[in-house]
Amino acid sequence: MTVAEPPPSRAADARAAAKAFLATLHPRPAATTIQDLLLLVSELVTNALRHAGAVTALAFGADEDTLYVQVVDPSPERPRPRTPDLRGGTGGFGWPLILKLAEKADIRDHTPRGKVILISMAR
């Protein structure tokens, strides 16, 4: 099952879309999985907005064992680890957190410009 959503302009919109998608799943994932997915979606969209300027597509999917999130943005730049700013000024926590929550993170070029980040996590 895959559900495409309108591109969000805020992380809150992406979380709402994720919640709506999760509500369609039977059986429903565990509460901790739902929390992890919402955090993952929030971080992905925040990173795309902050570093690429926009989210051009958002989609969710699921099969028997796995949940999928796909975020497309207009920047060809790949996410890269940065030294976290412990004073709260420049971040640096999002990508490591995404990688910790995800089973797999795949980054692909998106034609004609940009990238697709596809995340999978255990259902």
Side-chain angles (χ1 to χ4, degrees), residues 47-77:
N47 284 353
L49 294 171
R50 177 178 286 167
H51 301 291
V55 173
T56 56
L58 174 65
F60 300 97
D63 60 28
E64 191 174 291
D65 303 313
T66 309
L67 297 172
Y68 303 95
V69 179
Q70 178 178 288
V71 174
V72 182
D73 71 48
S75 173
E77 294 293 320

Side-chain angles (χ1 to χ4, degrees), residues 15-28:
R15 286 191 303 274
K19 286 178 188 177
F21 169 73
L22 289 165
T24 69
L25 298 179
H26 300 287
R28 190 174 169 105

Side-chain angles (χ1 to χ4, degrees), residues 84-96:
D85 180 355
L86 299 176
R87 294 185 205 121
T90 61
F93 296 95
W95 189 243

